[in-house]
Amino acid sequence: MAGPKIPVYCFSCRSRPCARTSAQREERATMAEEKVINKQVLLKDYVTGFPKEEDMVLTSSTIDLKLSQGSTAVLVKNLYLSCDPYMRLRMAKPLVQSYAEAFVPGKVIVGYGVSKVVDSGHPDFKAGDLVWGITGWEEYSLITAPERLKKIKYTDVPLSYYTGILGMPGLTAYVGFYEICCPKKGETVYVSAASGAVGQLVGQFAKLMGCYVVGSAGSQEKIDLLKNKLGFDDAFNYKEEQDLTAALKRCFPTGIDIYFENVGGAMLDAVLLNMREHGRIAVCGMISQYNKTHRDPVHNLFCLISKRILMQGFLEPDHKHKYPQFEEQVVQYIREGKVTYVEDVAEGLENAPSALIGLFSGKNIGKQVVFIAHE
């Protein structure tokens, strides 16, 4: 409860109380109330090898919840943060040009997230809007390029879905499968890292096309998930296979038409030997290589020639124009129960570093999300 107002003697106007001085004090008090503590996660230094929680630092600063006059920025309260494998590449020293800029040591880590607008100087956004896009790993973020944010259109689905099935991973799966792989009914489809944010959707899209779908993952719990919840025809634990080429031959006696690549290394080599003629490979990621100083060579690339295989890398940002079409289609799938989405939710900003690190040892089951705050 606020205490009684104390009259203030003003030496400039020689009066008590002074209305002007009282107003100034009230204004300063209001400004102080608009500043809040803002917890943040910073990158400590560039990372070599396998990342550790100690490579990130939890700290705090203060932030003003009211934008300055004339600002065109947007101030948001972050609700959910997304942990994605590509973020590991941004933690490394930028020795070669990459599609995503490296994080800066001592600065806040950034990534995809779901947020609520607190204040806006941009005509396209107002306080209370729910948005998704690139934001900081912090409780509140000042977005200076708000044109990159997207307003959340559908609120009858979980907001966290906009970090996954209705966000960057979802569009990645959609474009990679339908646009790059050009699937046909009855074809055979193999998905590596199949229980992850992207893989679980690719498998379900393939089933909706009438394809035969096999996925691989790194635990029995994930294998059960693929077969019993996500509808894959078969799945295997790559960690338990002595010979990946033989494992794929067992699952695909007549060969693989489509491979959705998330892993790289030895798995890619084994797949190439099992591809059918005129097969297609969509290269989405190579998570097995991200933490290696010296990356594994691929030995069976001649199969691209002998089997006339089309192998293509792709990036989700190149296909942003497809988002409206994708969103309408996938929201309909969700409402009709044709697709399901599995999330692994960590709670609290302080647990974001361990959640991100867990991606690279396979701790997550489904899309890794960090819950920060309620609306």
Side-chain angles (χ1 to χ4, degrees), residues 165 168-178 181 183 188-215 226 230-232 258-262 280 282 284 314 326 330 333 339-341:
I165 185 172
M168 180 273 291
L171 184 57
T172 298
Y174 184 88
V175 167
F177 183 64
Y178 291 115
C181 294
T188 56
V189 178
Y190 172 51
V191 185
S192 57
S195 66
V198 175
Q200 60 175 300
L201 289 173
V202 174
Q204 292 180 85
F205 290 157
K207 287 302 298 176
L208 288 170
M209 279 289 299
C211 298
Y212 178 80
V213 186
V214 176
L226 293 174
L230 300 176
F232 283 60
I258 291 172
Y259 173 43
F260 200 95
E261 164 70 302
N262 290 311
R280 285 88 70 206
C284 173
F314 70 101
F326 151 79
V330 176
Y333 283 161
V339 296
T340 188
Y341 200 61

Side-chain angles (χ1 to χ4, degrees), residues 209-374:
M209 279 289 299
C211 298
Y212 178 80
V213 186
V214 176
S216 61
S219 73
Q220 188 57 47
E221 185 178 4
K222 293 179 181 180
I223 299 308
D224 293 341
L225 175 72
L226 293 174
K227 294 197 289 187
N228 301 330
K229 187 177 179 69
L230 300 176
F232 283 60
D233 294 291
D234 202 356
F236 66 91
N237 184 346
Y238 70 91
K239 293 180 180 178
E240 295 181 351
E241 299 291 343
Q242 299 290 323
D243 185 336
L244 291 174
T245 302
L248 290 169
K249 183 68 176 177
R250 182 181 73 238
C251 294
F252 298 98
T254 61
I256 301 168
D257 291 304
I258 291 172
Y259 173 43
F260 200 95
E261 164 70 302
N262 290 311
V263 171
M267 183 64 79
L268 176 57
D269 254 337
V271 167
L272 287 167
L273 293 176
N274 280 277
M275 290 294 292
R276 298 183 68 181
E277 291 183 354
H278 303 289
R280 285 88 70 206
I281 300 175
V283 184
C284 173
M286 295 189 172
I287 195 170
S288 73
Q289 306 301 297
Y290 294 167
N291 297 316
K292 295 189 175 184
T293 306
H294 301 288
R295 293 173 179 169
D296 297 333
V298 179
H299 302 281
N300 297 320
L301 289 175
F302 189 77
C303 293
L304 297 175
I305 301 171
S306 62
K307 299 182 180 185
R308 284 85 79 201
I309 298 167
L310 177 64
M311 182 173 174
Q312 181 178 341
F314 70 101
L315 294 174
E316 178 264 353
D318 294 339
H319 303 272
K320 290 289 190 188
H321 61 286
K322 294 280 186 181
Y323 185 81
Q325 168 191 326
F326 151 79
E327 184 181 31
E328 294 301 320
Q329 181 68 75
V330 176
V331 165
Q332 192 65 28
Y333 283 161
I334 294 170
R335 288 172 175 165
E336 294 173 357
K338 290 183 177 179
V339 296
T340 188
Y341 200 61
V342 179
E343 298 178 313
D344 193 329
V345 183
E347 294 200 5
L349 185 64
E350 65 276 9
N351 291 313
S354 61
L356 178 59
I357 302 286
L359 292 177
F360 306 105
S361 58
K363 287 184 179 179
N364 61 301
I365 297 177
K367 165 62 188 171
Q368 184 65 67
V369 183
V370 181
F371 168 76
I372 304 298
H374 293 288

Side-chain angles (χ1 to χ4, degrees), residues 80-84 87 111-113 137 163 168-169 367-370:
Y80 292 93
L81 298 178
S82 178
C83 294
D84 298 296
M87 296 173 74
Y112 286 95
W137 274 34
T163 69
M168 180 273 291
K367 165 62 188 171
Q368 184 65 67
V369 183
V370 181

Side-chain angles (χ1 to χ4, degrees), residues 23-207:
Q24 289 172 341
R25 292 176 72 239
E26 288 178 6
E27 182 181 0
R28 286 195 295 270
T30 300
M31 291 175 64
E33 287 173 5
E34 290 175 346
K35 286 188 179 294
V36 297
I37 300 297
N38 188 28
K39 287 195 293 185
Q40 303 171 307
V41 176
L42 316 181
L43 179 68
K44 187 176 181 180
D45 201 355
Y46 291 124
V47 176
T48 302
F50 202 94
K52 308 178 294 298
E53 287 186 49
E54 295 74 29
D55 293 320
M56 290 165 272
V57 179
L58 182 67
T59 185
S60 63
S61 64
T62 59
I63 188 169
D64 196 331
L65 296 186
K66 191 71 177 173
L67 293 174
S68 58
Q69 185 110 17
S71 173
T72 58
V74 170
L75 181 69
V76 299
K77 175 184 178 182
N78 293 315
L79 308 179
Y80 292 93
L81 298 178
S82 178
C83 294
D84 298 296
Y86 85 93
M87 296 173 74
R88 170 63 186 87
L89 302 176
R90 303 189 69 181
M91 299 172 81
K93 191 173 183 179
L95 299 177
V96 295
Q97 185 176 1
S98 176
Y99 65 90
E101 290 183 5
F103 296 141
V104 179
K107 298 292 185 181
V108 175
I109 289 173
V110 297
Y112 286 95
V114 171
S115 313
K116 184 175 183 178
V117 175
V118 175
D119 194 16
S120 174
H122 194 282
D124 293 343
F125 300 94
K126 66 182 185 302
D129 284 345
L130 293 169
V131 297
W132 74 272
I134 296 295
T135 189
W137 274 34
E138 53 191 348
E139 293 176 305
Y140 296 90
S141 293
L142 181 65
I143 311 297
T144 56
E147 58 275 5
R148 298 179 185 177
L149 294 175
K150 288 185 178 293
K151 285 186 182 179
I152 289 179
K153 186 176 181 180
Y154 299 105
T155 55
D156 60 331
V157 298
L159 286 178
S160 57
Y161 276 13
Y162 283 89
T163 69
I165 185 172
L166 294 175
M168 180 273 291
L171 184 57
T172 298
Y174 184 88
V175 167
F177 183 64
Y178 291 115
E179 302 288 327
I180 307 299
C181 294
C182 302
K184 303 180 188 67
K185 183 178 180 179
E187 289 191 312
T188 56
V189 178
Y190 172 51
V191 185
S192 57
S195 66
V198 175
Q200 60 175 300
L201 289 173
V202 174
Q204 292 180 85
F205 290 157
K207 287 302 298 176

